[in-house]
Amino acid sequence: MIKIDGAYLEGGGQIVRTALALSTITQKPFEIYDIRKGRKDSGLKNQHLYCVKSLQELCDANVEGAELGSLFLKYFPKKIVAKNLNIDIETAGSITLLLQALLLPAMFASKPITISINGGTDTKWSPSFDYFNNILLPQLQRFAKVEAKLMKRGYYPKGNGKVEIKINPRFRLYDFSSFEEFHQSLKQNIQKYNLIEQHHLIQIKGISHASRDLQNAKVAERQAESAKSTLKQKYNVPINITAQYQDTLSIGSGITVWAIFSKNKEDIDENNQIRIGADELGEQGKRAEIVGEEVAKNLIKEIESKAPVDKHLADQILPYMALISGKIKTSEITNHCRTNIYTIHQFLGEVFKVDEINKIISNY
């Protein structure tokens, strides 16, 4: 039984999500204690329980402590069973955070899987759907063919957004007698990550979105134009930020922008795509122009760092990177990143040594 300190460093729910994902594929049970102990509302929250429930469906795990507010969790995984999943978080709980626990195991199932999730697509303290789809997902295609489709946006507090994920595995745990054999095959057959230089900035893209109630005020267009204007002052490349509106249960808005780089100006490396991004949510009383300007300035900061991996992508990519190794350089090694390193080490310590982490990830 692997024992994990749930209060390590930033002590957030990411420890739970990463542990669930890695436990499921390594088939190593774990116990986590002091979950989110330093937080105002410590213990497991509703969104963490949906992570547990979803993985129970996927691998028929035995679980202890899966209750609202629980400070501990014991998780005993069984073999992954390929099955389509329909998950309703029932609130604006983050869909992208749920996928941090669910996507990795689902990518190594015995056959294609479709996952439909209802919840929050654009919420605080989590990656926006557009960040997930346009910045993280391109880095994961080497493991499986994954397509994510936004069916409907969902803002805080009512959520009701919907995302559909179709996963076609390239490597199946089912084909191997042990995780060690499977792990060795991944390292031999998948190209390592090599994200250490930005190279040439080719273009900047983005999606600005808002609920239909804000269409008359042109909130999505104003966010987009403000971001575009700020970015144009710095970069002479094509900038395309689209504006979108949808009917939603709660009023909201947001914007995600990302920069695309290439080693050769005419050739995008599909295995090591260089995309860095930033996202921002609108708030009541905050002008749309300010939201657009802030997201642009955050992207500029990432571009000016000269790092090919932004600070948010770094911690999200690590569980996948740990399976095949490689090197990345990021603008900042955050406590989120260090927390993920700690959690990954519990399951893959023999190949993911904390004292050698600077050989794997570094910042400018």
Side-chain angles (χ1 to χ4, degrees):
M1 175 71 78
I2 293 171
K3 293 194 175 183
I4 299 172
D5 179 1
Y8 183 82
L9 282 183
E10 54 94 27
Q14 187 169 8
I15 300 176
V16 177
R17 292 186 293 270
T18 300
L20 286 167
L22 291 175
S23 173
T24 303
I25 65 166
T26 62
Q27 297 290 286
K28 296 177 181 178
F30 73 91
E31 175 185 357
I32 182 170
Y33 57 91
D34 288 346
I35 297 172
R36 303 177 67 254
K37 188 177 180 180
R39 300 297 176 93
K40 182 180 178 181
D41 49 346
S42 59
L44 292 170
K45 296 182 71 175
N46 199 47
Q47 58 170 286
H48 308 127
L49 295 178
Y50 276 98
C51 292
V52 175
K53 290 176 183 177
S54 301
L55 282 168
Q56 276 186 289
E57 276 199 64
L58 195 65
C59 72
D60 194 28
N62 292 323
V63 178
E64 296 176 25
E67 300 173 3
L68 199 62
S70 175
L71 291 173
F72 84 97
L73 178 72
K74 289 184 178 180
Y75 181 80
F76 304 84
K78 297 178 184 176
K79 285 191 175 182
I80 297 171
V81 179
K83 60 189 296 188
N84 295 335
L85 300 176
N86 289 288
I87 304 161
D88 188 353
I89 301 176
E90 298 178 353
T91 65
S94 172
I95 290 173
T96 57
L97 291 185
L98 172 61
L99 286 168
Q100 288 183 356
L102 188 56
L103 184 59
L104 180 62
M107 290 169 73
F108 301 125
S110 57
K111 64 181 183 180
I113 293 177
T114 298
I115 305 174
S116 296
I117 310 174
N118 285 70
T121 60
D122 301 88
T123 60
K124 282 186 175 183
W125 306 298
S126 67
S128 66
F129 169 79
D130 297 312
Y131 184 100
F132 167 83
N133 196 32
N134 294 286
I135 299 152
L136 175 63
L137 213 52
Q139 301 293 354
L140 309 185
Q141 299 299 333
R142 66 190 71 199
F143 296 98
K145 182 181 178 182
V146 184
E147 297 177 78
K149 186 176 181 180
L150 177 69
M151 315 299 288
K152 187 179 180 181
R153 297 249 181 219
Y155 301 110
Y156 180 84
K158 294 183 180 179
N160 199 43
K162 185 173 183 180
V163 169
E164 185 177 273
I165 310 285
K166 292 185 177 180
I167 305 164
N168 193 350
R170 302 186 195 278
F171 303 89
R172 309 184 306 173
L173 266 167
Y174 183 83
D175 293 337
F176 298 87
S177 59
S178 67
F179 171 76
E180 289 72 25
E181 185 183 325
F182 167 74
H183 192 191
Q184 192 62 36
S185 178
L186 291 185
K187 289 190 287 185
Q188 291 174 351
N189 292 291
I190 301 180
Q191 185 175 336
K192 293 180 180 180
Y193 283 105
N194 183 33
L195 300 169
I196 56 175
E197 289 185 55
Q198 281 185 356
H199 299 295
H200 302 287
L201 177 61
I202 302 298
Q203 59 182 313
I204 296 173
K205 291 186 174 183
I207 297 173
S208 178
H209 53 87
S211 51
R212 189 83 63 190
D213 298 323
L214 300 176
Q215 189 167 8
N216 288 341
K218 297 187 179 297
V219 166
E221 291 88 351
R222 287 161 52 204
Q223 288 176 162
E225 283 304 313
S226 177
K228 189 173 182 179
S229 175
T230 304
L231 289 164
K232 272 188 171 181
Q233 295 174 33
K234 295 284 293 182
Y235 308 110
N236 185 27
V237 297
I239 301 173
N240 182 22
I241 304 174
T242 61
Q244 302 176 353
Y245 291 94
Q246 285 193 359
D247 294 317
T248 58
L249 292 186
S250 296
I251 295 174
S253 75
I255 180 171
T256 301
V257 291
W258 61 96
I260 301 173
F261 299 81
S262 177
K263 186 174 183 179
N264 303 309
K265 291 185 178 180
E266 306 299 326
D267 180 25
I268 302 293
D269 184 345
E270 292 300 323
N271 281 322
N272 285 294
Q273 292 195 42
I274 302 168
R275 296 185 173 204
I276 59 178
D279 55 24
E280 197 76 28
L281 288 175
E283 297 177 21
Q284 188 174 0
K286 188 174 184 178
R287 293 175 61 241
E289 289 78 8
I290 301 299
V291 177
E293 181 183 10
E294 286 182 355
V295 78
K297 285 182 175 179
N298 287 337
L299 183 63
I300 290 169
K301 184 178 179 182
E302 293 290 348
I303 294 172
E304 297 299 300
S305 77
K306 303 300 181 184
V309 176
D310 69 64
K311 64 181 181 180
H312 298 299
L313 178 60
D315 69 77
Q316 294 177 57
I317 202 176
L318 277 178
Y320 300 89
M321 185 176 162
L323 294 174
I324 57 172
S325 193
K327 291 183 179 181
I328 64 174
K329 283 193 174 182
T330 180
S331 57
E332 181 184 344
I333 300 178
T334 64
N335 274 345
H336 261 282
C337 192
R338 292 185 176 92
T339 302
N340 237 2
I341 291 167
Y342 161 77
T343 310
I344 294 165
H345 178 67
Q346 309 309 307
F347 295 91
L348 301 173
E350 70 280 6
V351 295
F352 204 74
K353 296 179 173 60
V354 176
D355 58 356
E356 295 181 3
I357 193 60
N358 285 329
K359 295 180 182 178
I360 300 171
I361 178 171
S362 59
N363 67 299
Y364 279 87

